[in-house]
Amino acid sequence: MKHNLFKLLGRFKALGFYLPLIVSVSYSGNISAIELDKDAPPKTLVQTIEAPSPSIKPFVEDSLKQIKQGFLDRPFVLLVWSIDCLPCREEFSVIRLVKEKYPLLNLSIIATESFSDTPQLSTILKEHQLLDQDNWAFAQSNSAKLRYSLDSGWYGELPRAYFYDAQHNRTGVSGKLHASQVITWINKVSNSMVNSSDE
Amino acid sequence: MNVRFIFRQKRAKFFMVLLAYLISFVSFAEENNLKGRCSQADYIHVDCGNTPTSTFDRNNQLWVVFEKNGYLYVSASLNQGKSFSNPVRINATPEEIYTNGENRPKIAFGLNNEMYISWTKKTKGRFTGDIRFSRSLDGGKTFAEPLTVNDDGRITGHRFESMAIAKDGTIFVAWIDKRDNKPLPMETKKTDAKASTAMSSHNKMRHKKSGHTMPKQNGAIYYSYSTNFGASFHKNEKLAPSSCVCCRLAITARNDNTIAIAWRHIFFGSIRDHAFAIIGKQGVLQSPRRVSLDNWKIEACPHHGPSIAEDANQQLHLVWFTASEKRKGIFYGRLNAGSNEADNLINLSAAPSASHPYILSNQRGLLVVWKEFNGEQTQVMMVQSKDLGKNWSNISVLAETESNSDHPTLIGKGEQVWLSWLADKQFLIKEIERLNEA
């Protein structure tokens, strides 16, 4: 009897696991048009998904593909963090400040914690005003496999960030990002988009 | 006659197939049964516990400490891990206990087989904790009320404790301590105004320079010891400032009754390389020295602490992980008294997934294990050295899993060495075959 009850609970747990995935897949935000204005400040050159769903999605083996799909032809920054990583929180403070200055900066944020830690993850992301970004959390029992799917050459140190250009060529950076690094990158991708539109 | 023989052969084959089927069915059912039972809150077993950590006692009996539902338990095995005794609860009141590969409960035995358990209890706020300790003087039947080893009374980071029993039975506990930092905005603190202003001028300066919105939160290495079989601990002592805050400490008891400690230090310019020191009841006997000039400049949590062991000649052997421009992967180095940097530096593995090395030394040489992920499986790799680290064997695979796994550790029993590893929610104790003695 007790065993059956656990089984039943397990099924509901499974539903709870997939529900946010179904919700996030069915969501279709408006993607703003690309505005390549040479005189405009760089921030207008980095597009974003409008009003993303404030939820954390389960990151599985092919989720990176899905993330890239979400930022098709657009540059974005991918941040990887964990609850037990103090520099990650410090990085969040930096990113929030940059985001205030460049609100259209595209971000995708992956927590290496288990998806079941969503309440705690949400609290931290909310504190740093990053819960409304494209958030993910590891959702497979083998975290080594997920780390590998993200980057087979990464040693696992956190925070880890990837700067993706519009063609989705990426540069990986380990350690806490500084505002100047992110702003330099924003200027770089903005300029390259301006130049490519000139050609 | 021939027909009967063929019939007998067929019948034997049939029974063999049936037997194989039954064995596989029983083991499958047993595995599923175990997983089912593990999901039950009231089922306590080493396979269902978090971060099982093992050692052999003075009588060569295997013991494992593990956590479940806020309680720590110990279980013994008389048959090298094939089965375990009924778990005995250590803390009567549940606590939030850190259970991850880097920060896990420890178990050690005193000279008269007193059982000592240490762990880090999560306290209110983030990145905080208390160092806890309990003992059993009746062979694991009952445990003393846990005591808190850190004596500053602050709710701040006291975490990643390590424990070693000195040659004379003194219990040493060392940990990463943030009592000297300015509290974080979200950090809960007791009414300790003095402590809240105790941030070092060095840290203040760095904070101002970097312009960060959060104060620098480096750790420091603190330690304490007990000379009364764990009934109480001496005043906390500071060993070193500016340590990394998320990597386990390596600790080992030395033959001369001292204790060697190694940790990931933060050197000037956010360089996270390793340092080591020698302590004893007299205090700091050898002040911190830099082990490796890897120059890993990173403002990050590597979650990767070192491991240390001493050989019969009192040489120390260290294994660690780094990912600097100069060196990447798992490294081994030998520490000689008086020398600053480790010599005989060897890159044991440069694989990107190589992680969490652990070293053990005994009469037959040195053994190192670590984990690697090959895209499909996590494997425990091993190398051995019979000449105190000069030459190493080829890498061999000790165990593997396609599921999540804990950090591998090694435990010794005389000349025998055993791998202790939790993989796919199953606790594995495996004797390691040694290289043929040449």
Side-chain angles (χ1 to χ4, degrees), chain B residues 315-317 332-336 341-344 388-390:
Chain B
Q315 278 186 318
L316 289 162
H317 305 269
Y332 159 82
R334 194 170 45 210
L335 296 165
N336 289 304
E341 200 186 355
D343 64 5
N344 195 35
L388 300 178
K390 262 187 215 158

Side-chain angles (χ1 to χ4, degrees), chain A residues 180-196:
Chain A
S180 57
Q181 267 175 292
V182 187
I183 292 166
T184 305
W185 173 79
I186 290 172
N187 287 325
K188 192 178 153 197
V189 291
S190 302
N191 289 336
S192 71
M193 287 177 81
V194 170
N195 293 338
S196 65

Side-chain angles (χ1 to χ4, degrees), chain B residues 404-418:
Chain B
N404 248 0
S405 64
D406 196 0
H407 296 4
T409 57
L410 295 170
I411 54 173
K413 185 173 79 168
E415 289 193 347
Q416 295 170 324
V417 182
W418 301 69

Side-chain angles (χ1 to χ4, degrees), chain B residues 361-377:
Chain B
S361 163
N362 70 5
Q363 305 93 305
R364 295 167 71 182
L366 301 170
L367 249 107
V368 179
V369 288
W370 67 90
K371 283 204 306 190
E372 279 187 22
F373 183 70
N374 63 14
E376 289 300 325
Q377 291 166 316

